[in-house]
Every structure is written in structure tokens, then in C-alpha cells.
Amino acid sequence: MPPLELPEAVVDRLRIATAVLRDIRYLTLATADPNGRPWASTVWFGASLRSPSTQRLDVELLWLSRPEAQHSTNLLERPEVGISVFDSRQPADTGVGLQLAARAEPVPADELEAALAAFSTASVAAGGNAWTLRQVQGPVPLRVYRAHLDRALLLVDGSRAELPLR
């Protein structure tokens, strides 16, 4: 049986969400320590679209951080995170953004090469540098982290719509 076609409005929302993830370079990452004390951090990220589907959002968010940073230590104990992706220059009562619930973790060694390639592609597309394994392994200060989405809401000019995920 072929997959059901989504209504055009949902497909349009998925296109908008993909554009936000492609065009916005910073996300706000909300974590909590083992006692539940919240912490929010802004990190530069790259979105790795895992599937070109117009029927669902299938994406992994990648960023570099220091393992000793508060958000990095928090997500080791509590991998559930909240994420907001938006352009803060948008006028009040307008604009587009994403609110996401996800699970975050350091990228495992056996998946690091592929994740770093995706992050480097986003970095180069934004005018940054490509990254090498040597820059994120061993006695260096940065590691690669990722988030897998559990829930995604698209905010467009005051309305909010749930997006289908992989």
C-alpha cells in the first residue's frame, strides 16, 4: 500500500521548517542538571537532513561544544532537551521559528566521521571551515553532539503547527 499523501498545507509547513533549519545558524538549547535546574545555551549548529522526504521531517541537529560546558554535562545525565530555532531579528508578532523536543548526546565514535561530514557541509555553506576528526578527538577542547527530534512545532506569524517526524 503506498504511503498516504499529506495535505498541501502540511507539505508547505515541512518546506518552511527545512528552510529554517537550513538558513538559521544558531539554536537555543535548554537542558537541566540532575536536580532539574534549567540551563539555556546558544550554539551554532548544522542540520543534517537524513531523508529528502516531503512527508515528514527527518533531521539530526549537530553542534560542537566543550565537554565541560554546563549544557554538555547536563545532557549526559538528562538527555531530554528543548530546542528553539528562530531568527531573532524578525519584527514582533511576525516571523517563523521551530520549537523542538529532542534527545541529545555526544556522537559515538563509530558515527563521528559521518556526523562531522554533515556538520562540515553546513559550516562551509555558511562561510565557515570544514572540520576534521583531529579537531574533535583526543586532547582537543571540542566534541560533536547531536539531537534526535521527538516533537517539532512550527511557529508561523503567531500560529503553531505540529510537524510529522520520521
Side-chain angles (χ1 to χ4, degrees), residues 103-119:
R103 289 164 287 102
E105 65 181 354
V107 174
D110 63 329
E111 298 177 42
L112 191 54
E113 193 168 351
L116 192 58
F119 182 82

Side-chain angles (χ1 to χ4, degrees), residues 3-165:
L4 294 175
E5 289 292 317
L6 292 177
E8 189 61 32
V10 176
V11 173
D12 286 343
R13 289 183 198 127
L14 287 166
R15 284 188 198 116
I16 292 168
T18 300
V20 168
L21 292 170
R22 181 191 63 234
D23 297 341
I24 305 299
R25 301 297 8 135
Y26 289 91
L27 62 77
T28 300
L29 179 68
T31 62
D33 71 12
N35 297 318
R37 194 170 321 125
W39 187 258
S41 301
T42 302
V43 297
W44 194 96
F45 79 101
S48 174
L49 292 172
R50 295 154 37 110
S51 164
S53 172
T54 60
Q55 300 294 302
R56 66 190 190 284
L57 187 61
D58 189 4
V59 66
E60 181 176 79
L61 304 179
L62 301 158
W63 66 91
L64 301 178
S65 281
R66 294 176 180 274
E68 70 275 7
Q70 185 68 55
H71 59 275
S72 298
T73 60
N74 285 354
L75 66 83
L76 291 177
E77 293 290 324
R78 296 180 96 160
E80 302 83 10
V81 298
I83 297 172
S84 180
V85 181
F86 63 97
D87 181 350
S88 64
R89 300 168 295 174
Q90 298 173 99
D93 300 321
T94 69
V96 177
L98 290 167
Q99 292 176 335
L100 310 167
R103 289 164 287 102
E105 65 181 354
V107 174
D110 63 329
E111 298 177 42
L112 191 54
E113 193 168 351
L116 192 58
F119 182 82
S120 289
T121 297
S123 178
V124 169
N129 297 315
W131 289 79
T132 66
L133 288 172
R134 207 176 69 207
Q135 292 173 289
V136 297
Q137 288 181 316
V140 295
L142 296 174
R143 296 291 182 260
V144 183
Y145 293 83
R146 68 180 175 193
H148 295 284
L149 304 185
D150 293 325
R151 186 172 183 212
L153 296 173
L154 176 69
L155 293 90
V156 179
D157 294 332
S159 69
R160 183 184 343 218
E162 187 105 18
L163 298 173
L165 299 176

